[in-house]
Structure formats: structure tokens, C-alpha cells
Amino acid sequence: MKEYRKAFGDWFEMVGVTCPVCGHKGHCLINQAQTEVACTRAREWNGQSGIPMGSAGFKFSLSGEKQAPTQELITYQQEADVPQYRIRTHKQLDVIYRSVLKHAINREKFNGVIDDLHRRGLSDITIERWGITPVAGLVLASCTDRDANDDEHLYLRDETENFNGFNYADWFVKDRIPENAWQGVPGFYQWHFTDNDGIEKDTAVFYLPQSKAEAQPVFAGFKQKQEQTPYYNPDAMDKDYFIPCQDIDGNVFAMQVRHHDPKFGKYTWVSSSGRDYGTQVQTGVNVALVPSLDRKRRTAAAHQWLHNTPKTVILTEGVLKAIVAAEHLEHVYSVKERQQLGNVILGNGGVSQWKQFLPVLRELKAVNVIVAYDMDYQGKEQVAQAQAELIAALKAEGYHVAVAHWDPKDKGIDDALQHGQRLELEYLQ
């Protein structure tokens, strides 16, 4: 099934469709009229020089002779706009996400996740402190009968598609959270269904992992006529996991999912954009601290240091990579050495989103910035260009900039530090 997902304005992500420009699936965009493509991987195509569109890539025309899509593009049927909730503040999102991760963790499903995280060198203490949690078919549902006299409850759906009787309203009650607090939290949305007794109900569902063959098409304002029951993807039960993304103050403001099946992509953001009463995620930068500082993250002293003390900050590509690299940075370098190298690592969703670093660096009062992109950047034009643009922007902002190098047998800074490599810094004028 071809899938297009609302991105912004009249642009849709080609989730399960091959981009006619670069030949890959995912990330690239097509406009509603199907006349233009924004490719995140190519800068030139069929004699065209792409028009820059920021983090969306480069825009190309599909009109005339230059239109050469590798697949037939579907025709959208416009319907009424899907109702959406405005996203909550970082502090509000933190309360909801931490409640879900705390109460819904399934220790029986944790073995596959733990093995992968241990392989990356993460300690159990770091895993628990960050709240990295297996997806394990997690679904939080608030079922409301159409009967106005019926009470609202929270349930957990099981693999058999039946409500299993566990009432999870206590989650929010115990944490003193209002029952409607899911509204405005990316990942939550409302699903309408009819139960076995013929009663219509609305369920507020949280993140349903699905296989490509059965996945519901997701659009905002445009829907393909297809109704399917949300369900678990059994293959994701033991291996996929949530990665919380924290801001400078330690608020979990977004989450990624690490997929073990490559057809889902390696990482996706938890979002409910385009679903009834859903919320679009606002991606951003994960602020990872070395463990000795991260344990004190919510103290007044840490807040003062983070917001007011000039410091060195390391930049890398990847939310989880920043967490792993911060853990190993403390193992490889002494306290004195980290005074020069830094104790903060920022990771974002990808190299093309480098502009997200800039406001966070200002907030951190950064003075020195170390760019630590993967060592394969020299063989990837898109990565090399994004790194060059980032360095130029950092210099323009007045930062002292260095580029980190290491033995390329380890692709990323997380692997290099895990294997005990020390970074070679190239200071730029």
C-alpha cells in the first residue's frame, strides 16, 4: 500500500512511496498537486538545481518532460480537515510521557531491548534514568460510550483486540493528572469504533505499532477510504523501544521509536498528526549529560550551570547516539579533561536538521562547539554538505569550532567512545 503522511502546508511525506528524485522511501515530500518534490537526499536532478527548503531538503519540479516518477502517484480525495489538538508545553508533555513510561513498562518484554542497549554499552542505571522502555504493544485507551451516562475509563488493549479489563485510569489518578491530559500530546489520538454489542465508542489511543501491509494510511485533511481496527505488531513486542528526548531542563518533550525491522525505518518520531484529535510532534534536540551530572539534572545547582555557565558542547546526529556517547565520554575522559571537551552532547533527528542546534546552544551559553558527525560523512555528499553548513553557521554565531575525528572503523562517536577511542580535535579558524 502506498502511504503519504501530512508534513506541513500542502506537503506530504512519501512514507511508503519511492521518491522519483533519489529513489528512496521516507523523508522526501510531495505537494498536494503532485507537481513538485522536496528531496532530502539530492541537490540536483534531471538537470535541475534544487531550490533549498531548509530541513525539508531541495525542491524539484515534476512538470513537463522532467516528470519521471517510478510509481503512479495516488490522487488525494479532499475531505474535512481532521481535528487536531495544539501541542502542550514541554513541562506538560514531560508529566504525561513520564507517567506512561513509568506505569506501562512491561518487564517481561524487556529482555530483547536490554540486550540491544547493553550491546551499545548503556548501563542499567542510565537505561532506567532515561526511561528507555520497550514498545511491547503499548496502547493507552480512554473508552467513552456514546451514552452520556457512561463513565470514562482507561484501558490497555491486548493482542487479541479485546479490552482486557485492566483499568489504567489509576495511572493518571496516582500521578494527579487530569483524565483528558492526553489531549495535545503527540502519540495520542481518538479512534472511533463499534463494540460487540453494537455500541459506538470513542477510544483515545496511544501509539499503535503496525506492519506496512496492514498499516492505516495517515493523512491530515486527506484520507483514503479505509477503516481498520488498530492492533499490535507482534514482531515489535520484544525489540522496539521508546527513546525519550529531553530538553535542557530534562523535560521529555518528544519520543522516538527504535525499530528492529528496517522496513519501518531505523527511527521514527512518536506522533499522531493526521489522526482524529491527534497532535503533531515538534522534533528537536536531545540534551544528554554525562551520568555524574545527569543524576543532578533537576537540582538548582545544575539549572544554574546549564543556563548560565559558559561551556563546551558536542554536537552529533541521533537522539540515542547522544545518550550513549555521553555515558562513554565519562568513562574515557577524566573530570579535568572534560573541562576542555565538555560534559554535554546534543543529538538531533538527522544531519539536515542542524538548525535545531542553534537556539539550544544559545540557551546553554555555549562558547566552544565540537562537531562530531559520523565518520562516513566524507563519502556522503549530503552529510558533508550539512556539516559544512552547520560549521559556517556556528562560525557566524561567534563560536570557537572544532571537528572531532577518530578511527573510522567506528562509524559514530558513540561506537568510538564505547571502544575506548579518544577524539582528535581539528580546531577551525
Side-chain angles (χ1 to χ4, degrees):
M1 177 188 298
K2 301 180 178 68
E3 286 189 59
Y4 299 77
R5 179 162 52 219
K6 180 76 170 181
F8 58 87
D10 292 332
W11 291 89
F12 292 78
E13 181 184 356
M14 293 182 279
V15 179
V17 180
T18 300
C19 172
V21 175
C22 66
H24 295 278
K25 296 180 181 180
H27 303 299
C28 299
L29 310 177
I30 188 168
N31 66 345
Q32 175 190 340
Q34 303 173 21
T35 59
E36 295 177 321
V37 163
C39 182
T40 59
R41 301 177 178 90
R43 291 171 174 269
E44 295 185 356
W45 176 66
N46 278 8
Q48 294 186 65
S49 293
I51 300 173
M53 289 185 63
S55 62
F58 292 82
K59 183 170 66 175
F60 299 91
S61 172
L62 290 177
S63 60
E65 297 180 357
K66 297 188 185 302
Q67 183 171 1
T70 56
Q71 293 180 240
E72 179 183 357
L73 301 177
I74 67 170
T75 300
Y76 295 103
Q77 295 181 340
Q78 188 167 5
E79 297 181 351
D81 285 343
V82 175
Q84 301 278 280
Y85 284 117
R86 180 177 297 180
I87 194 166
R88 292 181 178 269
T89 66
H90 281 201
K91 286 186 177 181
Q92 292 170 330
L93 293 172
D94 179 73
V95 170
I96 304 304
Y97 282 142
R98 287 186 184 277
S99 178
V100 170
L101 295 173
K102 176 178 66 175
H103 293 293
I105 188 169
N106 187 334
R107 294 293 177 184
E108 294 179 359
K109 302 292 184 181
F110 216 4
N111 291 336
V113 171
I114 286 290
D115 289 344
D116 183 62
L117 295 174
H118 283 173
R119 179 182 59 80
R120 296 171 184 268
L122 282 182
S123 66
D124 290 340
I125 294 176
T126 296
I127 294 169
E128 184 173 356
R129 187 169 61 247
W130 274 87
I132 300 174
T133 304
V135 171
L138 172 63
V139 181
L140 182 64
S142 174
C143 296
T144 306
D145 283 353
R146 289 290 182 176
D147 184 350
N149 296 320
D150 192 45
D151 294 330
E152 188 171 51
H153 299 287
L154 295 173
Y155 294 92
L156 184 70
R157 287 181 65 81
D158 63 16
E159 297 97 331
T160 64
E161 295 303 322
N162 298 316
F163 290 105
N164 61 18
F166 291 104
N167 189 329
Y168 279 78
D170 289 343
W171 288 7
F172 287 177
V173 172
K174 288 178 180 178
D175 294 335
R176 299 182 179 180
I177 301 172
E179 286 191 16
N180 65 350
W182 64 268
Q183 299 169 359
V185 179
F188 287 88
Y189 65 97
Q190 185 169 288
W191 172 59
H192 179 71
F193 71 103
T194 303
D195 69 9
N196 293 333
D197 297 325
I199 300 174
E200 290 188 332
K201 295 181 178 181
D202 287 315
T203 266
V205 183
F206 177 74
Y207 191 77
L208 291 165
Q210 300 168 342
S211 70
K212 285 293 183 184
E214 301 291 339
Q216 302 176 88
V218 180
F219 316 130
F222 300 86
K223 277 191 173 180
Q224 188 169 324
K225 291 291 186 180
Q226 181 178 353
E227 295 294 335
Q228 290 184 337
T229 300
Y231 68 99
Y232 294 156
N233 170 19
D235 294 335
M237 284 289 196
D238 300 330
K239 299 178 182 178
D240 293 4
Y241 50 88
F242 292 112
I243 308 166
C245 188
Q246 298 187 17
D247 64 16
I248 185 174
D249 295 313
N251 295 309
V252 177
F253 67 92
M255 292 199 295
Q256 282 191 333
V257 173
R258 174 65 168 94
H259 299 283
H260 77 284
D261 190 334
K263 72 171 176 283
F264 287 88
K266 188 176 290 186
Y267 297 94
T268 58
W269 291 96
V270 172
S271 181
S272 47
S273 174
R275 305 192 182 212
D276 287 343
Y277 296 99
T279 303
Q280 182 174 359
V281 65
Q282 290 183 354
T283 64
V285 172
N286 190 31
V287 182
L289 310 181
V290 296
S292 60
L293 293 178
D294 194 46
R295 288 192 290 269
K296 309 170 185 176
R297 190 173 190 140
R298 300 239 176 183
T299 65
H303 184 274
Q304 171 70 19
W305 180 80
L306 284 165
H307 286 271
N308 298 302
T309 303
K311 60 181 66 67
T312 298
V313 177
I314 299 174
L315 310 182
T316 192
E317 47 181 300
V319 171
L320 180 60
K321 185 171 295 183
I323 300 173
V324 176
E327 168 119 350
H328 296 301
L329 187 69
E330 192 167 64
H331 298 159
V332 176
Y333 290 92
S334 67
V335 173
K336 184 177 181 179
E337 289 174 319
R338 293 200 310 275
Q339 291 176 356
Q340 177 185 5
L341 197 62
N343 291 287
V344 183
I345 301 182
L346 305 184
N348 66 359
V351 295
S352 64
Q353 301 170 29
W354 58 264
K355 290 182 181 179
Q356 295 176 336
F357 287 129
L358 302 181
V360 183
L361 289 171
R362 298 186 199 110
E363 195 174 5
L364 282 165
K365 297 296 186 292
V367 174
N368 307 305
V369 179
I370 299 172
V371 178
Y373 277 7
D374 288 354
M375 286 301 292
D376 62 353
Y377 74 89
Q378 296 175 338
K380 294 184 177 180
E381 180 183 353
Q382 180 199 6
V383 179
Q385 182 62 33
Q387 176 169 303
E389 293 172 354
L390 169 60
I391 291 172
L394 293 172
K395 288 183 175 180
E397 297 248 342
Y399 297 110
H400 301 292
V401 183
V403 176
H405 302 281
W406 53 87
D407 190 328
K409 69 181 180 181
D410 291 317
K411 177 182 175 182
I413 184 175
D414 52 340
D415 300 321
L417 292 174
Q418 180 184 0
H419 296 147
Q421 287 204 55
R422 298 175 71 85
L423 308 179
E424 298 179 10
L425 300 184
E426 176 190 357
Y427 293 93
L428 306 180
Q429 299 299 322

